[in-house]
Amino acid sequence: MKSIMININNDKLVDKVTWLLDHFKNDGLEIVSSEDIDDLKLLRLTRNEGSIPFEEYLNNEN
């Protein structure tokens, strides 16, 4: 898979570029914002962390 990043400072141009790229989704194009990538990286870091049942969290939230 190849990745490219496009930085656009103009909101109107963002809408136009997104509209154009949306036409390639059926061909396998995936559009991900840089904000989404940052969130996904943070989520990936938490994968190996332990977890507790939600009920236990509620019992100990204070």
Side-chain angles (χ1 to χ4, degrees):
M1 177 190 311
K2 302 282 183 176
S3 298
I4 62 171
M5 179 179 278
I6 301 172
N7 295 315
I8 305 172
N9 292 328
N10 180 315
D11 288 340
K12 288 184 181 181
L13 184 56
V14 169
D15 292 339
K16 290 179 181 180
V17 171
T18 303
W19 175 85
L20 176 67
L21 293 175
D22 279 338
H23 289 81
F24 295 100
K25 282 186 174 181
N26 289 338
D27 296 324
L29 179 71
E30 179 184 20
I31 302 170
V32 180
S33 72
S34 61
E35 292 83 7
D36 291 342
I37 291 173
D38 293 340
D39 290 345
L40 291 172
K41 286 179 183 178
L42 291 172
L43 282 172
R44 187 179 70 202
L45 293 174
T46 65
R47 283 199 179 248
N48 296 326
E49 291 181 6
S51 62
I52 61 169
F54 187 66
E55 293 81 15
E56 185 178 333
Y57 168 78
L58 288 176
N59 290 336
N60 297 307
E61 73 175 316
N62 293 326

